[in-house]
Amino acid sequence: MKFSALAQHLGPVEATSLAQPPQQDPEITGVMAVDSATAGTLSYIEGDKFAAQIEQTAASALILPTDETLQGRARARGIAWVSCRDPRLAFARAIAQFYRPFRPQPGIHPTAVIDASVTYGKNLSVGAHAVIQAGVTLGDDVCIHPNVVIYPGASIGDHTVLHASCVIHERSQIGRDCVIHCGAVIGSEGFGFVATAQGWEKMEQSGRTVLEDGVEVGCNAAIDRPAVGETRIGRNTKIDNLVQVGHGCQVGEAVAMAAQVGLGGSSRIGHRVLLGGQAGVANQSRVGDGAIATAQTGVNGHVDPGQVVSGTPAVPHKIYLKVSAIYSRLPEMYRLFRRLQRHSS
Amino acid sequence: MKFSALAQHLGPVEATSLAQPPQQDPEITGVMAVDSATAGTLSYIEGDKFAAQIEQTAASALILPTDETLQGRARARGIAWVSCRDPRLAFARAIAQFYRPFRPQPGIHPTAVIDASVTYGKNLSVGAHAVIQAGVTLGDDVCIHPNVVIYPGASIGDHTVLHASCVIHERSQIGRDCVIHCGAVIGSEGFGFVATAQGWEKMEQSGRTVLEDGVEVGCNAAIDRPAVGETRIGRNTKIDNLVQVGHGCQVGEAVAMAAQVGLGGSSRIGHRVLLGGQAGVANQSRVGDGAIATAQTGVNGHVDPGQVVSGTPAVPHKIYLKVSAIYSRLPEMYRLFRRLQRHSS
Amino acid sequence: MKFSALAQHLGPVEATSLAQPPQQDPEITGVMAVDSATAGTLSYIEGDKFAAQIEQTAASALILPTDETLQGRARARGIAWVSCRDPRLAFARAIAQFYRPFRPQPGIHPTAVIDASVTYGKNLSVGAHAVIQAGVTLGDDVCIHPNVVIYPGASIGDHTVLHASCVIHERSQIGRDCVIHCGAVIGSEGFGFVATAQGWEKMEQSGRTVLEDGVEVGCNAAIDRPAVGETRIGRNTKIDNLVQVGHGCQVGEAVAMAAQVGLGGSSRIGHRVLLGGQAGVANQSRVGDGAIATAQTGVNGHVDPGQVVSGTPAVPHKIYLKVSAIYSRLPEMYRLFRRLQRHSS
């Protein structure tokens, strides 16, 4: 595809509106990372870390930020380019021009076991050995990969994809345009036990898990259901691999949780919150809209809207950076402290 | 069900023995969380955090602690109540009056693949596409959900439930009344490799994993077997989702491990230990009976019985709280330290 | 087997070359851990921690380090022994003399669903309900356990074992002599989303995951594929349970990652790196050859080759130990600081 034609597909959302049309028009046959790009491919540069790559890349075309220095360097090397506010977003759209993700054809594999009471819309695809139990409702264009198990009474919205070997528990409600990745478990029993003199006594988990529209759940993640009420994940929220969402959590919209994040039971996560990898949020904690907890942070209590926190226990990120900067001086401080202590006694 | 009749089911264990019989007798149609309860439902209040809810809840009946103030406030609002020492335990029993967890009927699905040498007790339930290999022994009332795989020679005790897509490895012994949740893997090969000049050389894992009676293992958790001997999980121990138990660990009775806990190889965990979410215990470490490691704690070494530890490396919780309280003052301390250092040089 | 005959199998690699032949020749019927060994079994002793066991063990034979004191104590107790540089390696080889891991017979189970376009070598074993999709290539002696799913276009090298319920995504390339444990997911979609004013927009993950020869991946681990290019795991690298490898990571040869490690997207891990349990490496970070990050460490940035780091954020392990040693004195330091601060104001 000609670069000029490809560039038409990179907008028109404001963030990617092209500040500059392409000055040259090479044939583009694919997309690659800037440090491994070959002739005929398109790549992108974003952030200072990758700016130096503009001198080495073999890419024939680049998506650049609105940065005249970079644009000049591309021009000097004879690389065609467009510029926009969010090169990564434009690059995502360029990928979509070259790559069609694997999607099984509609149809029900003869080895799938589907209860007679299951209802479903048009274009249903069910892979080999999937098991869909009584009373399940499936929308239009639902795609169920092999070996998926759906327990009774769950509902799955239009265009949702369930990847291989994921499990949807009874009563779960999954919205439209969701993607559940391999091995993820939705609506499993919350960890509900009560201590007695005889040991742990089980509290039955009679609630359900609800995923609103456009939610993605990563491989081998688990989203438990509560004893009563709902665990709820807001629309457009993206959950990475191996994440744990405890029973009764309420997660807002457009949240992103990186891999191995853990949410304790009944925690409340606002809209557009970012949780870095391996971060944990304790039972009953609250994280306000737009807050960020960096990787491995341990939140126990409240995080104000918009706040950035780090460390365990979580403190404002600025304080965390200051303390981190002096961390290795602590032994020296301790020696002085000991000397002063001796003098003062 | 009349509240008075329901209340009969909330005892008689000491912890829930009713201090007060109900003064009113509304019809109760279900159980709900106190902050979302509607008319006709029962809820409970426990802890100062939820006490204020007594002024807003629409519940028709409440389980209260033995707290005369709360009881008076319920009476003033015309809410029927009982009180007991452990409202959460009584609430668990109330849930059990209204909710019957999904349990497949006994019977073997025609698509299940069961080796001719498998022996089993009465009321066996095997779901679609389950695979049970040679020499496996299954007790009475065992329930195996769809897509479960049992490797050769494992044994599963009476009344144990294996949820969808879990895997039981060869030689594993699972007791009575256990629950293995979806995707969990029991008895997998320990991470046993020996460094050589040519790279890692595998140490075969000839041991087995044993779960005693009443153990629960959460979704996508993994409990490895050792090179020689056993990995053993004591009776009534409850393990949450995504937990890792390394090869050769010995875990006591009535332990609770929250989600994403990791136990290194050959660690020893006493009875009634509590491990908070994402806590880690290093290889060969020992945690005494009744000890608690809070969330994200890293134990490396020994923890005395009954001790509460926090932080990485783990220190007594009281010290952790003190250090946490002054954490954000460290940069200020550092500035004074620098000033003193200049003066003293 | 006579101990003298068994001892022939413990070499001849330099590390295990026997410094001393056995002086006695008991019949050995099995291998056990030194603290639970019974008469007729072989065990080993390595490290000061286990040296005291030599006075209690009931083992009939021991593999000892080249330590004359230990050898003398074994001799005094009438225990046959050999000594070598790496007793654990020799013990691994002893286990292999007594234990044959379970391996299904070649053959394709009639319930497996294999696309007509799949190509495969000799001695293929495919378990019940496995699903192998279009265009997959399987080498010689490949063993696929029950309920495995392979998406289209993946390739699996000779002698590789796929344990039950693991999933191999489209285009993944898995080398020879690899082992993928139960529930692991290889080549899943990287967590690629771009923030827009309308919420998260998906970046399609058109790349692939490549595992070189001799790689092991633990239960329920996930190794994502990137938007463009490859995620690559070098030969002989061993990955434990529940590990997350983000999209586009480049991992070197003979690396070991303990359970629950997480690698952020595009991180670069050198050869022979050791990552302790629950350690995390942030996006784009680089860890040099032979470096070690201890358990729960959080790497963000660069770690030099050969460096040992600990803590979050990661610092040299020696500094970490020093700071840990004074950690519990910080409140006392703080009190002195407050006193000095008052005096100086």
Side-chain angles (χ1 to χ4, degrees):
Chain A
M1 174 182 336
K2 283 288 178 189
F3 185 37
S4 58
L6 176 57
Q8 303 305 313
H9 297 285
L10 309 185
V13 172
E14 189 194 13
T16 65
S17 59
L18 301 181
Q20 299 277 351
Q23 315 76 356
Q24 303 175 54
D25 208 7
E27 183 74 18
I28 301 300
T29 59
V31 285
M32 293 185 81
V34 69
D35 56 353
S36 54
T38 54
T41 64
L42 169 74
S43 193
Y44 79 110
I45 285 181
E46 186 181 60
D48 294 342
K49 202 165 182 176
F50 295 97
Q53 298 283 352
I54 204 164
E55 300 299 345
Q56 287 102 42
T57 187
S60 293
L62 287 170
I63 303 167
L64 297 177
T66 52
D67 170 328
E68 295 196 0
T69 309
L70 277 179
Q71 294 165 7
R73 289 160 79 184
R75 200 174 291 118
R77 291 201 59 219
I79 302 171
W81 53 272
V82 292
S83 73
C84 61
R85 285 196 213 164
D86 188 344
R88 190 163 166 259
L89 179 55
F91 189 65
R93 292 171 180 180
I95 293 173
Q97 291 303 311
F98 289 99
Y99 178 68
R100 288 287 168 273
F102 167 64
R103 180 75 185 253
Q105 292 299 306
I108 296 175
H109 195 277
T111 62
V113 172
I114 303 181
D115 189 86
S117 63
V118 171
T119 62
Y120 53 91
K122 59 187 166 69
N123 299 325
L124 176 66
S125 170
V126 181
H129 301 131
V131 179
I132 309 178
Q133 301 186 52
V136 169
T137 306
L138 307 170
D140 291 340
D141 302 306
V142 166
C143 174
I144 296 172
H145 282 268
N147 285 10
V148 167
V149 176
I150 309 181
Y151 279 63
S155 72
I156 314 288
D158 298 344
H159 315 295
T160 282
V161 176
L162 306 182
H163 275 285
S165 298
C166 73
V167 181
I168 312 299
H169 265 282
E170 56 266 39
R171 298 185 301 283
S172 299
Q173 290 199 304
I174 298 184
R176 299 163 57 99
D177 300 305
C178 292
V179 181
I180 311 299
H181 289 280
C182 297
V185 184
I186 308 298
S188 37
E189 289 181 7
F191 194 61
F193 299 97
V194 189
T196 74
Q198 289 73 43
W200 297 106
E201 185 168 319
K202 191 179 184 80
M203 180 183 271
E204 293 292 351
Q205 304 290 299
S206 72
R208 65 178 183 181
T209 289
V210 179
L211 309 188
E212 299 180 355
D213 297 343
V215 169
E216 286 209 28
V217 178
C219 299
N220 293 328
I223 305 184
D224 282 353
R225 70 178 189 263
V228 292
E230 289 179 353
T231 301
R232 179 172 285 264
I233 310 293
R235 61 176 293 285
N236 192 238
T237 282
K238 308 300 182 183
I239 296 175
D240 200 355
N241 301 333
L242 294 161
V243 165
Q244 155 75 2
V245 177
H247 46 104
C249 290
Q250 303 296 314
V251 176
E253 302 185 359
V255 169
M257 300 186 207
Q260 297 172 322
V261 159
L263 303 188
S266 301
S267 52
R268 299 274 181 284
I269 309 295
H271 301 308
R272 296 173 308 284
V273 167
L274 303 180
L275 300 177
Q278 300 182 332
V281 177
N283 292 351
Q284 316 275 356
S285 297
R286 283 159 194 268
V287 180
D289 291 352
I292 298 174
T294 64
Q296 293 189 328
T297 291
V299 171
N300 189 355
H302 288 220
V303 176
D304 287 335
Q307 205 180 5
V308 182
V309 295
S310 297
T312 303
V315 295
H317 186 63
K318 284 181 181 172
I319 290 174
Y320 175 80
L321 289 178
K322 282 183 189 167
V323 176
S324 298
I326 64 164
Y327 181 86
S328 57
R329 311 299 297 274
L330 286 172
E332 204 181 340
M333 285 169 69
Y334 180 70
R335 285 192 296 275
L336 179 64
F337 156 74
R338 290 284 290 155
R339 195 145 47 84
L340 292 169
Q341 203 179 37
R342 277 192 299 271
H343 287 204
S344 70
S345 64
Chain B
M1 176 180 339
K2 282 289 176 187
F3 185 37
S4 58
L6 176 58
Q8 303 304 314
H9 297 285
L10 308 185
V13 173
E14 188 194 15
T16 65
S17 60
L18 301 181
Q20 299 277 350
Q23 313 77 356
Q24 304 175 54
D25 208 7
E27 184 74 20
I28 301 299
T29 60
V31 285
M32 293 184 81
V34 67
D35 56 353
S36 54
T38 54
T41 65
L42 169 74
S43 192
Y44 79 111
I45 285 182
E46 186 180 60
D48 295 343
K49 203 165 181 176
F50 295 97
Q53 298 283 352
I54 205 165
E55 300 299 346
Q56 287 100 43
T57 188
S60 293
L62 286 171
I63 303 167
L64 297 177
T66 51
D67 171 329
E68 296 196 1
T69 309
L70 277 179
Q71 294 164 7
R73 289 160 80 185
R75 200 175 292 119
R77 290 201 59 220
I79 302 172
W81 54 271
V82 291
S83 74
C84 61
R85 285 197 214 163
D86 189 342
R88 189 162 166 259
L89 179 54
F91 190 64
R93 292 172 179 177
I95 293 173
Q97 291 303 311
F98 289 98
Y99 177 68
R100 288 287 168 273
F102 167 64
R103 182 73 185 254
Q105 290 300 306
I108 297 175
H109 195 277
T111 61
V113 172
I114 303 181
D115 190 86
S117 63
V118 171
T119 62
Y120 53 90
K122 58 186 166 70
N123 299 325
L124 176 65
S125 170
V126 181
H129 301 131
V131 179
I132 309 179
Q133 303 187 52
V136 169
T137 306
L138 307 171
D140 290 340
D141 302 305
V142 166
C143 174
I144 296 174
H145 282 269
N147 284 10
V148 166
V149 176
I150 309 181
Y151 279 63
S155 73
I156 314 288
D158 297 345
H159 316 295
T160 282
V161 176
L162 307 182
H163 275 285
S165 299
C166 73
V167 180
I168 313 299
H169 266 281
E170 54 266 39
R171 298 185 302 283
S172 299
Q173 290 200 306
I174 298 184
R176 298 162 57 99
D177 299 306
C178 292
V179 181
I180 312 299
H181 288 280
C182 297
V185 184
I186 309 299
S188 37
E189 290 181 5
F191 194 62
F193 299 96
V194 189
T196 74
Q198 290 72 41
W200 297 106
E201 184 168 319
K202 190 179 184 80
M203 180 182 271
E204 292 292 350
Q205 304 291 297
S206 72
R208 66 177 181 179
T209 290
V210 179
L211 309 190
E212 299 181 357
D213 298 343
V215 169
E216 285 209 29
V217 179
C219 299
N220 292 329
I223 304 184
D224 282 353
R225 70 178 190 261
V228 292
E230 290 178 353
T231 301
R232 180 171 285 264
I233 309 293
R235 62 177 291 285
N236 191 238
T237 282
K238 308 300 181 183
I239 296 175
D240 201 356
N241 301 334
L242 295 161
V243 165
Q244 154 75 2
V245 177
H247 46 103
C249 289
Q250 304 295 314
V251 176
E253 302 185 359
V255 169
M257 300 186 205
Q260 298 173 320
V261 159
L263 302 188
S266 300
S267 53
R268 299 275 181 284
I269 309 295
H271 302 308
R272 297 174 307 284
V273 166
L274 303 181
L275 300 176
Q278 300 183 330
V281 177
N283 291 351
Q284 316 274 355
S285 297
R286 283 161 192 268
V287 179
D289 292 351
I292 298 174
T294 63
Q296 293 190 328
T297 291
V299 171
N300 189 355
H302 289 220
V303 175
D304 288 334
Q307 206 180 2
V308 182
V309 296
S310 297
T312 303
V315 295
H317 186 62
K318 283 180 182 173
I319 290 174
Y320 175 80
L321 289 180
K322 281 183 190 169
V323 176
S324 298
I326 65 165
Y327 182 86
S328 57
R329 310 300 296 273
L330 286 171
E332 203 182 341
M333 285 169 69
Y334 180 69
R335 285 192 297 274
L336 178 62
F337 156 74
R338 290 284 289 154
R339 195 142 50 83
L340 293 169
Q341 203 180 39
R342 278 193 299 270
H343 286 204
S344 71
S345 65
Chain C
M1 174 179 340
K2 284 288 178 187
F3 184 37
S4 58
L6 176 57
Q8 303 304 314
H9 298 286
L10 308 185
V13 173
E14 189 194 16
T16 67
S17 60
L18 302 181
Q20 299 276 350
Q23 313 77 357
Q24 304 174 55
D25 208 6
E27 185 74 20
I28 301 298
T29 59
V31 285
M32 291 184 82
V34 68
D35 56 353
S36 55
T38 54
T41 64
L42 169 75
S43 193
Y44 79 110
I45 285 181
E46 187 180 59
D48 296 342
K49 202 163 180 175
F50 295 97
Q53 297 283 351
I54 204 164
E55 301 299 347
Q56 287 100 45
T57 186
S60 293
L62 286 171
I63 304 168
L64 297 177
T66 51
D67 170 328
E68 297 196 0
T69 310
L70 277 180
Q71 294 165 7
R73 289 161 79 185
R75 201 175 291 119
R77 291 201 58 219
I79 302 171
W81 54 272
V82 292
S83 74
C84 62
R85 282 196 216 164
D86 188 344
R88 191 163 165 257
L89 178 55
F91 189 65
R93 291 170 181 182
I95 293 173
Q97 291 303 310
F98 289 98
Y99 177 69
R100 288 287 169 274
F102 167 64
R103 180 75 184 252
Q105 292 299 307
I108 296 175
H109 195 277
T111 61
V113 172
I114 302 181
D115 189 87
S117 63
V118 170
T119 62
Y120 53 91
K122 57 188 167 70
N123 299 324
L124 176 65
S125 170
V126 181
H129 300 132
V131 179
I132 309 179
Q133 302 186 51
V136 169
T137 306
L138 307 170
D140 290 341
D141 302 306
V142 166
C143 174
I144 296 173
H145 282 269
N147 284 10
V148 166
V149 176
I150 309 181
Y151 279 63
S155 73
I156 314 289
D158 298 345
H159 315 295
T160 283
V161 176
L162 307 183
H163 275 285
S165 300
C166 73
V167 181
I168 313 299
H169 265 282
E170 55 265 40
R171 297 185 302 282
S172 299
Q173 290 199 304
I174 298 183
R176 300 162 57 98
D177 300 307
C178 292
V179 181
I180 311 299
H181 289 281
C182 297
V185 184
I186 309 298
S188 37
E189 290 180 7
F191 194 61
F193 299 97
V194 188
T196 74
Q198 290 72 42
W200 297 106
E201 184 168 320
K202 190 179 184 80
M203 180 183 271
E204 292 292 351
Q205 304 290 299
S206 72
R208 65 177 182 182
T209 290
V210 179
L211 309 189
E212 299 182 356
D213 297 344
V215 169
E216 285 208 29
V217 178
C219 300
N220 292 329
I223 305 184
D224 282 353
R225 69 179 191 261
V228 292
E230 289 178 353
T231 301
R232 179 171 285 264
I233 310 294
R235 60 177 293 285
N236 191 239
T237 282
K238 308 300 182 185
I239 296 175
D240 200 356
N241 301 333
L242 294 163
V243 166
Q244 154 75 2
V245 177
H247 47 103
C249 289
Q250 304 294 315
V251 176
E253 302 185 359
V255 169
M257 299 186 207
Q260 296 173 321
V261 159
L263 302 188
S266 301
S267 52
R268 299 274 181 285
I269 309 295
H271 302 308
R272 298 173 307 285
V273 167
L274 303 180
L275 301 177
Q278 299 183 331
V281 177
N283 291 351
Q284 316 275 353
S285 297
R286 284 161 191 268
V287 179
D289 291 352
I292 298 174
T294 63
Q296 292 189 328
T297 291
V299 171
N300 189 354
H302 288 220
V303 175
D304 287 335
Q307 205 180 5
V308 182
V309 295
S310 297
T312 302
V315 296
H317 186 63
K318 283 179 182 175
I319 290 175
Y320 175 80
L321 289 178
K322 281 184 190 168
V323 175
S324 297
I326 64 164
Y327 181 85
S328 57
R329 311 299 297 272
L330 286 173
E332 203 181 340
M333 285 170 70
Y334 180 69
R335 283 192 296 274
L336 179 63
F337 155 75
R338 290 283 290 154
R339 194 143 50 83
L340 293 168
Q341 203 179 37
R342 276 193 301 270
H343 287 203
S344 71
S345 64

